[in-house]
Amino acid sequence: MQLASAQASQKPLRVGVVGLVHSHVNGILGRAKKGDIEIVGIAEPNRDLAERLAKRYGYSMSLVYPTIEEMLDKTKPEAVTDFGRIVDHLQTVKICAPRGIHVMVEKPLAVSFDHAKQMEALAKKHTIQLLTNYETTWYGSNHKAYALANTDKAIGDLRKIVVHDGHQGPKEINVNKEFLEWLTDPVTNGAGALFDFGCYGANLSTWLMHNQRPLSVMAVTQQIKPDIYPKVDDEATIILTYPKTQTIIQGSWNWPFARKDMEVYGQHGYVNTIDGTRMRIRLKEDKTERTAEATQTDAPATDPFAYLAGLLRGETKPDELTSLENNMIVVEILDAARQSAKTGKAVTLQKPMK
């Protein structure tokens, strides 16, 4: 019996891909032969896009179906990974949850708190995993920083968190046309840089603060490049206030270079991440700042798809950064930030209904 169980656990997870218009889909298409997952079907109505990616990654067009329903009926996946528009995440969950199919979406979870609440209700009703994937979840540096700040309590009580995310702009870095079209539309993406990159800081801050909701959310957005991005913001700063901590989130399509880093300051020390592995640390006993390296083993898995397979096979523990609880708070923050940027006023978060 033990041998049979071990063999069963090694079977690839049957995964369906919903949508190809988010360029993060390259991550799963480019690593599908590792053996832990098997792409059994793809739902994508844009045949031209599906054929272009099939030529690049070598999958058969027989895997491609025009609708999610047909793909699920014909291929019977255990889970789906959603690489569609953020506004379509709700529809994916509406279709998958009643069938008992687990869902992992790309960040952020939803375009609005209303959508997020509907998704949460469906996930709980049908007992499925509803996960949100962030690149920064798989950074060893973030997990080592968390351990220093929260597990070891090496820097004292947290006082300030500063998170920087973004790049020169989606058009400037030449994202594909299908991605650019919806990413720069406030209806399909929720906002511009505010949602695209503000979500990372909201996710990390919520994690570092043990899923504590902030007291208030204040945001300022700008259109520095309205000729390129006429419909959405390209510059966003969000300030979250907690009883004894403040978080500053800087999401931008105007950085001179791509970046995903954060600074965590405590009463008597700090830890700053530079990238996925490198860090700068100064503790109370240190006379000067020192550098440190994190490894991939500090993160919960090498990538989101290895994690998804391990989680659904019971081989790994749930990670807080991808969790539904964390990401409900993230969308609540983003929704409030969008309102604040529009009105010019801070938004006070009400206590949740019991």
Side-chain angles (χ1 to χ4, degrees):
M1 289 294 290
Q2 288 183 338
L3 178 61
S5 176
Q7 288 175 336
S9 70
Q10 296 304 313
K11 285 185 178 180
L13 183 73
R14 294 176 59 81
V15 174
V17 174
V18 174
L20 298 173
V21 295
H22 195 308
S23 66
H24 288 184
V25 75
N26 294 308
I28 193 169
L29 297 179
R31 58 87 69 206
K33 294 180 181 179
K34 288 191 176 183
D36 49 356
I37 66 166
E38 177 189 3
I39 297 176
V40 296
I42 298 170
E44 176 52 63
N46 185 333
R47 195 77 178 173
D48 175 65
L49 174 61
E51 288 175 349
R52 291 201 327 260
L53 291 173
K55 288 178 182 177
R56 185 186 307 172
Y57 292 106
Y59 61 78
S60 170
M61 284 299 292
S62 65
L63 293 179
V64 181
Y65 298 86
T67 67
I68 302 174
E69 292 91 342
E70 187 176 353
M71 185 268 285
L72 298 181
D73 288 342
K74 296 288 179 61
T75 67
K76 301 292 191 293
E78 298 168 79
V80 302
T81 56
D82 191 327
F83 295 97
R85 308 178 308 172
I86 309 305
V87 73
D88 295 329
H89 287 176
L90 173 57
Q91 184 63 16
T92 297
V93 176
K94 282 182 175 179
I95 295 169
C96 292
R99 300 170 185 241
I101 297 171
H102 305 285
V103 179
M104 175 182 274
V105 301
E106 288 303 292
K107 57 79 189 172
L109 174 66
V111 294
S112 69
F113 195 44
D114 175 63
H115 272 210
K117 287 186 286 187
Q118 292 183 60
M119 293 163 71
E120 178 188 41
L122 285 162
K124 289 183 175 180
K125 178 180 178 181
H126 299 287
T127 323
I128 66 161
Q129 290 283 353
L130 176 53
L131 308 170
T132 306
N133 176 40
Y134 297 79
E135 177 188 335
T136 45
T137 298
W138 321 108
Y139 284 12
S141 58
N142 284 338
H143 292 272
K144 195 162 187 175
Y146 180 94
L148 279 168
N150 279 326
T151 308
D152 303 339
K153 300 192 181 301
I155 63 173
D157 291 343
L158 299 189
R159 289 293 178 257
K160 191 179 290 288
I161 301 164
V162 186
V163 189
H164 312 100
D165 287 285
H167 48 48
Q168 301 94 317
K171 187 170 184 180
E172 289 85 343
I173 66 170
N174 298 313
V175 303
N176 65 57
K177 62 181 181 180
E178 292 86 2
F179 190 20
L180 185 67
E181 182 180 348
W182 70 261
L183 188 64
T184 57
D185 186 316
V187 174
T188 51
N189 189 42
L194 180 70
F195 270 50
D196 187 30
F197 285 114
C199 63
Y200 287 99
N203 175 240
L204 291 166
S205 179
T206 300
W207 179 49
L208 286 162
M209 297 300 294
H210 301 292
N211 284 350
Q212 184 180 168
R213 296 163 70 247
L215 300 174
S216 68
V217 180
M218 179 74 187
V220 176
T221 59
Q222 291 175 266
Q223 281 183 302
I224 294 175
K225 297 178 284 194
D227 54 322
I228 303 176
Y229 307 111
K231 297 180 181 179
V232 292
D233 62 277
D234 54 63
E235 191 70 34
T237 300
I238 308 169
I239 300 175
L240 310 179
T241 57
Y242 301 90
K244 294 184 179 180
T245 313
Q246 185 183 93
T247 293
I248 302 170
I249 300 166
Q250 300 182 39
S252 175
W253 289 346
N254 290 290
W255 295 117
F257 309 102
R259 66 185 303 187
K260 288 187 176 75
D261 56 86
M262 76 173 173
E263 306 166 6
V264 184
Y265 300 93
Q267 284 176 297
H268 46 250
Y270 64 78
V271 51
N272 296 350
T273 67
I274 302 170
D275 52 29
T277 58
R278 296 179 298 154
M279 308 165 69
R280 295 192 299 266
I281 300 168
R282 185 171 180 180
L283 306 182
K284 189 175 184 179
E285 63 271 18
D286 296 332
K287 291 184 178 180
T288 59
E289 181 181 270
R290 58 187 170 88
T291 59
E293 293 273 338
T295 66
Q296 184 61 61
T297 56
D298 288 301
T302 55
D303 65 50
F305 315 111
Y307 167 73
L308 180 64
L311 178 68
L312 297 185
R313 294 284 186 257
E315 298 167 353
T316 191
K317 295 179 181 178
D319 181 78
E320 292 178 17
L321 283 166
T322 64
S323 72
L324 183 55
E325 183 181 2
N326 175 294
N327 284 284
M328 290 299 295
I329 299 171
V330 170
V331 180
E332 186 177 13
I333 289 169
L334 293 177
D335 213 327
R338 182 171 51 198
Q339 180 183 340
S340 173
K342 186 177 181 180
T343 63
K345 299 178 181 179
V347 175
T348 300
L349 298 191
Q350 303 299 318
K351 291 185 178 179
M353 298 287 289
K354 292 185 178 181

